[in-house]
Amino acid sequence: MFDLIVFLVLLLSGFVIGNLVERNHYRSIIRREAQLRNLLLIASKKLPDEFMPCTTRMVAGNVVISVDFFKKFVAGLRSLIGGRVSSYESLIDRARREALLRMREEAQKAGAQYVFNVKTETTSLYKGKRGAIGSVEVLAYGTAVTLANQPSMKAG
Amino acid sequence: MEYSNPEIPEGINASKENPLKEFFLLLGGIGACIAATIIILSLLAGRLAVYIPFSTEEELVAGGILPEDEGNPEVSAYLQGLVDDLRDELEAPEDMHFTVHYLNSDTENAYATLGGHIYMFRGLLELLPNENALLLVLAHEMAHIKHRHPIIAMGRGVVIGLLLASITGLSGDYFVGQVVNSTGLVTLLAFNRDQEREADATALAAVARRNGHLAGSEDLFKILRDLESRDPINPPEFLRTHPFGNHRIENVRELAQQNHWNLEGGIIEIPPQIQKLVAESELPQ
């Protein structure tokens, strides 16, 4: 009985607080993405010839987000029957976009117009301990490119 | 060359659906599946367990795994006398033996277990106002044995325990395991309450045959009801091993009406020397 109450309180607070945090985070992500849209991310690692001369430097963004109790529980239920673990998808989506944003912010501070060779890496922390709330780390990195002349590519 | 990082619509990489919808669908679906599996397995276990001979039950507990008598031999002999008296009224099979033990403990309970062993705690015996109520307690425990409830419960316990442990192990999540186990427990408790109702009905019939009436039987359930209300947690019925005392009283009245049993009649006191021995046995502790 006591266990049940503790469990329900954890579940409810996980849902309410987790949901609130997630919504706020998404709002911030969407706003900052709009601000930084002109700083282009490019997956290719080869710089076009017309970019020369330019200066390049490494930029990186890193974020760790914890899963809340509610998400973890829903994912645990999901693991019994399989299928899309949508409770973790939003977590990974937020982490990836936040990491890219932090990388872009760093590139912007450096005065870059582009980030080339953009890569992300995802790691889960705390996964070994039974019952522990896990968290996810996403690292985004790339090569920031600052053109010496006006950019020849039109920003979208 | 034109290149841009357009705004990507939301809801592609992360689902836009309300997480509560997924939660309730999963919880309801998995809960229903587990409950259905447990109900099927429990029914099968119940059907099969009764084919285990009673002598096997006796052999199972012969190794001294049950508690020893720790009370007074005179009290035990008195209780055994009542049990032997009820035996014929219960129409129990010939090969079934009933042995009653008296345990000197404050626990307000009595239980029946494998091999026809019945345990009566001092705590409950002290609460009983008369021999009529005591007879009903003993008849109730004997009815459990007659209906093979202990071996059925054990069979169920083993099968369901195995099932739940497998699911819990597969899920790997501690709290999912807890929920799965609780679902199993709640389902098993429903079977437990069915057993209690069956034992009540058989016991009432046996006592009615022996005494010619059921006077004092409501006293017993009133005592049990008071015990329930004293419980600081007092969980709802679906989390209980026994039906509520009030429901059992209603059941007594219903059964009495159906079977034309008289609820009024002579009340027999528990012999004073037994009461004295029980009261004295409490002192040394």
Side-chain angles (χ1 to χ4, degrees):
Chain A
M1 193 73 180
F2 182 71
D3 288 359
L4 189 75
I5 293 168
V6 171
F7 169 71
L8 288 176
V9 168
L10 281 174
L11 201 65
L12 192 72
S13 56
F15 173 69
V16 173
I17 299 170
N19 226 15
L20 208 71
V21 168
E22 181 156 298
R23 243 185 296 162
N24 280 339
H25 191 198
Y26 262 125
R27 230 173 287 152
S28 146
I29 286 173
I30 290 166
R31 181 175 46 78
R32 282 147 68 215
E33 275 179 350
Q35 285 168 0
L36 289 165
R37 184 147 295 125
N38 287 336
L39 202 155
L40 293 177
L41 300 183
I42 295 168
S44 160
K45 60 177 159 185
K46 196 168 179 296
L47 294 179
D49 294 338
E50 59 262 41
F51 272 40
M52 304 301 166
C54 65
T55 55
T56 60
R57 57 163 286 193
M58 165 101 172
V59 281
N62 185 51
V63 66
V64 179
I65 299 185
S66 174
V67 58
D68 60 60
F69 189 83
F70 179 82
K71 280 190 191 308
K72 190 170 164 61
F73 181 72
V74 173
L77 287 178
R78 180 54 85 184
S79 74
L80 288 175
I81 57 167
R84 194 175 157 177
V85 191
S86 53
S87 73
Y88 279 174
E89 282 178 347
S90 61
L91 190 82
I92 299 286
D93 186 46
R94 276 161 60 200
R96 187 180 46 76
R97 287 165 77 173
E98 179 67 38
L100 287 171
L101 275 170
R102 289 181 184 182
M103 183 192 73
R104 276 182 176 189
E105 280 159 7
E106 194 188 324
Q108 193 188 36
K109 267 185 212 151
Q113 294 91 9
Y114 305 92
V115 183
F116 271 73
N117 200 14
V118 173
K119 295 207 164 76
T120 59
E121 277 177 22
T122 309
T123 319
S124 67
L125 304 177
Y126 287 142
K127 63 185 163 189
K129 201 168 163 194
R130 196 180 170 181
I133 302 256
S135 35
V136 60
E137 187 219 15
V138 173
L139 167 70
Y141 57 97
T143 309
V145 178
T146 314
L147 302 187
N149 307 316
Q150 278 300 304
S152 58
M153 291 206 302
K154 222 200 277 175
Chain B
M1 181 168 92
E2 291 239 349
Y3 181 84
S4 66
N5 283 170
E7 186 179 352
I8 297 163
E10 299 294 323
I12 295 174
N13 292 322
S15 165
K16 271 182 145 177
E17 232 168 47
N18 192 329
L20 278 181
K21 189 183 161 196
E22 190 188 9
F23 169 72
F24 283 117
L25 274 178
L26 283 173
L27 197 66
I30 291 170
C33 285
I34 291 171
T37 315
I38 287 174
I39 288 169
I40 292 167
L41 285 177
S42 293
L43 289 173
L44 287 175
R47 280 284 169 84
L48 292 176
V50 293
Y51 290 106
I52 299 172
F54 189 74
S55 54
T56 309
E57 265 190 51
E58 290 178 309
E59 283 164 27
L60 269 175
V61 295
I65 53 167
L66 295 178
E68 296 287 321
D69 274 38
E70 49 182 27
N72 189 296
E74 275 176 78
V75 179
S76 295
Y78 163 68
L79 294 173
Q80 187 66 44
L82 294 177
V83 164
D84 292 341
D85 221 23
L86 279 165
R87 208 205 127 85
D88 291 339
E89 313 298 347
L90 266 162
E91 294 161 350
E94 281 297 311
D95 65 336
M96 212 173 252
H97 310 107
F98 298 93
T99 321
V100 66
H101 307 266
Y102 170 59
L103 295 180
N104 188 8
S105 149
D106 288 333
T107 311
E108 287 139 343
N109 199 5
Y111 67 90
T113 185
L114 299 171
H117 293 277
I118 296 167
Y119 288 85
M120 182 82 197
F121 288 95
R122 193 195 68 239
L124 180 62
L125 195 53
E126 280 177 328
L127 285 179
L128 297 175
N130 47 50
E131 201 177 80
N132 306 49
L134 174 60
L135 271 172
L136 190 55
V137 173
L138 293 172
H140 174 96
E141 301 308 333
M142 290 170 80
H144 275 313
I145 293 166
K146 182 196 167 187
H147 293 303
R148 308 294 306 275
H149 289 165
I151 191 86
I152 291 173
M154 192 183 94
R156 257 180 208 150
V158 170
V159 173
I160 306 303
L162 210 63
L163 171 81
L164 294 178
S166 320
I167 300 175
T168 312
L170 282 177
S171 85
D173 184 280
Y174 172 75
F175 286 98
V176 170
Q178 291 283 308
V179 167
V180 167
N181 280 333
S182 307
T183 313
L185 190 72
V186 167
T187 318
L188 276 182
L189 284 176
F191 281 97
N192 210 73
R193 289 192 299 275
D194 284 345
Q195 288 190 339
E196 297 302 331
R197 278 186 275 265
E198 192 182 16
D200 274 353
T202 307
L204 288 167
V207 173
R209 268 197 292 272
R210 181 187 180 272
N211 290 353
H213 58 81
L214 282 176
S217 54
E218 282 190 23
D219 294 344
L220 171 65
F221 294 121
K222 279 176 189 156
I223 287 169
L224 297 178
R225 184 187 59 194
D226 294 344
L227 281 178
E228 279 163 18
S229 55
R230 268 177 24 209
D231 181 350
I233 298 173
N234 206 359
E237 195 168 53
F238 76 98
L239 290 177
R240 286 181 173 277
T241 56
H242 291 63
F244 272 134
N246 271 342
H247 295 167
R248 294 172 84 177
I249 293 173
E250 282 163 24
N251 191 36
V252 171
R253 289 178 188 157
E254 253 172 56
L255 284 172
Q257 208 174 16
Q258 282 169 19
N259 298 294
H260 309 291
W261 293 329
N262 198 352
L263 288 173
E264 306 293 325
I267 295 286
I268 305 164
E269 294 302 314
I270 294 175
Q273 74 270 24
I274 299 292
Q275 287 188 39
K276 193 166 158 256
L277 284 169
V278 170
E280 278 170 2
S281 61
E282 190 182 354
L283 292 175
Q285 288 195 338

